């Protein structure tokens, strides 16, 4: 069955530290891949997406993600986290871009 | 410009009642999507509208759920005979187009539904 897994429910990092949020998927072919962020009281905002081509994609707010076909992963990274990055992060996957299957989310806490 | 708006922001209803949730997409966006976010779960795709094409209803969990999009703009998601398990945040999104894989979905703030 098709699935999206975000193994980490909560992650805590210190401000200025690097961040990696994991996303694994189970799909038959290379799907469309997205990362969204949901800040408190805000709607979901697209950080970045991968459809094809270069497997390292750059997004907004200094985020990047790398598609690894062999590992069926699409992990989100940021070299230096800011306090304003504290939010809920969702990985989304779909065989078509309009019918996305979202992970359960990873809640990021940033400490001083 | 204005983003996707949804109303009401919160809705409390009694089990067995019908509810209607409204979504106003971004002006000019031809594609509209409904998702459900249940407590502790990821977002679940419900339905997708693209222009005048027949909607993709493959994500609707039961025949109690229906949605329409009037005039290619505003959409209403209707849940009949609500059950407690319908309690969730219902999110609407819109995009410029729905095919080609290049569209970006812009999400509304959601409607938080509580069925007592």
């Amino acid at each position: 069955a098709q699935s999206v897994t975000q193994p980490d429910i909560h992650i805590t990092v210190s401000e200025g530290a690097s961040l990696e949020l994991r996303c694994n998927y189970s799909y038959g072919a290379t799907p469309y891949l997205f990362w969204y962020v949901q800040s408190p009281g805000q709607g979901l905002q697209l950080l970045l997406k991968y459809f094809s081509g270069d497997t390292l994609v750059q997004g907004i707010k200094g985020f990047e993600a790398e598609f690894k076909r062999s590992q069926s992963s699409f992990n989100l990274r940021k070299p230096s986290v800011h306090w304003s990055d504290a939010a809920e992060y969702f990985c989304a996957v779909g065989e078509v871009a309009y019918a996305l299957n979202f992970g359960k989310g990873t809640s990021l806490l940033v400490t001083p | 410009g204005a983003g996707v708006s949804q109303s009401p922001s919160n809705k409390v209803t009694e089990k067995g009642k019908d509810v209607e949730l409204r979504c106003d997409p971004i002006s000019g966006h031809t594609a509209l999507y409904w998702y459900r976010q249940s407590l502790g779960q990821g977002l679940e795709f419900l339905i997708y509208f693209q222009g005048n094409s027949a909607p993709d209803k493959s994500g609707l969990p039961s025949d109690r759920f229906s949605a329409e999009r009037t005039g290619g703009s505003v959409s209403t998601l209707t849940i009949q005979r609500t059950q407690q398990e319908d309690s969730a945040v219902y999110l609407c999104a819109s995009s410029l187009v729905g095919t080609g894989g290049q569209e970006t979905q812009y999400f509304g703030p959601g409607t938080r539904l509580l069925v007592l």
Side-chain angles (χ1 to χ4, degrees):
Chain A
Q2 299 170 343
S3 65
V4 182
T5 303
Q6 292 181 246
D8 305 303
I9 299 174
H10 301 283
I11 282 187
T12 300
V13 298
S14 300
E15 190 169 15
S18 64
L19 171 70
E20 182 169 28
L21 303 181
R22 296 182 290 166
C23 175
N24 295 94
Y25 62 89
S26 175
Y27 273 75
T30 299
Y32 296 104
L33 300 160
F34 303 78
W35 274 99
Y36 282 84
V37 61
Q38 187 174 33
S39 300
Q42 304 294 315
L44 283 162
Q45 181 182 21
L46 179 69
L47 285 175
L48 47 78
K49 58 189 177 184
Y50 173 80
F51 294 150
S52 63
D54 192 347
T55 56
L56 183 63
V57 293
Q58 302 297 321
I60 62 171
K61 304 183 179 185
F63 285 91
E64 66 177 27
E66 185 172 12
F67 167 60
K68 292 186 176 180
R69 184 191 308 274
S70 61
Q71 299 177 16
S72 297
S73 68
F74 189 56
N75 294 346
L76 182 71
R77 301 194 295 250
K78 186 170 184 177
S80 179
V81 170
H82 187 263
W83 64 266
S84 61
D85 293 325
E88 189 89 13
Y89 290 81
F90 293 93
C91 177
V93 181
E95 288 185 335
V96 290
Y98 68 78
L100 299 181
N101 187 4
F102 283 74
K104 295 183 179 182
T106 297
S107 179
L108 174 65
L109 176 65
V110 180
T111 59
Chain B
V4 178
S5 61
Q6 293 184 245
S7 61
S9 54
N10 293 281
K11 176 71 176 179
V12 181
T13 190
E14 294 179 347
K15 178 181 175 181
K17 300 284 189 181
D18 297 352
V19 295
E20 286 189 351
L21 312 180
R22 177 187 168 104
C23 172
D24 284 272
I26 293 173
S27 178
H29 281 192
T30 59
L32 187 145
Y33 317 74
W34 282 98
Y35 293 87
R36 178 171 67 175
Q37 185 177 24
S38 302
L39 186 64
Q41 303 296 317
L43 277 77
E44 173 187 13
F45 166 77
L46 297 178
I47 189 170
Y48 157 72
F49 295 91
Q50 168 54 38
N52 295 321
S53 302
D56 181 338
K57 304 179 181 179
S58 60
L60 294 178
S62 79
D63 58 8
R64 296 187 295 104
F65 287 73
S66 64
E68 62 177 19
R69 189 178 185 193
T70 55
S73 181
V74 173
S75 177
T76 302
L77 177 69
T78 302
I79 308 173
Q80 296 178 308
R81 305 180 302 282
T82 53
Q83 304 295 312
Q84 290 181 332
E85 60 263 28
D86 299 334
S87 297
V89 177
Y90 289 82
L91 290 166
C92 175
S94 71
S95 68
L96 273 173
V97 294
T99 57
Q102 302 300 316
E103 67 282 358
T104 294
Q105 296 181 31
Y106 295 87
F107 282 80
T111 293
R112 189 174 302 273
L113 174 65
L114 177 61
V115 181
L116 300 177

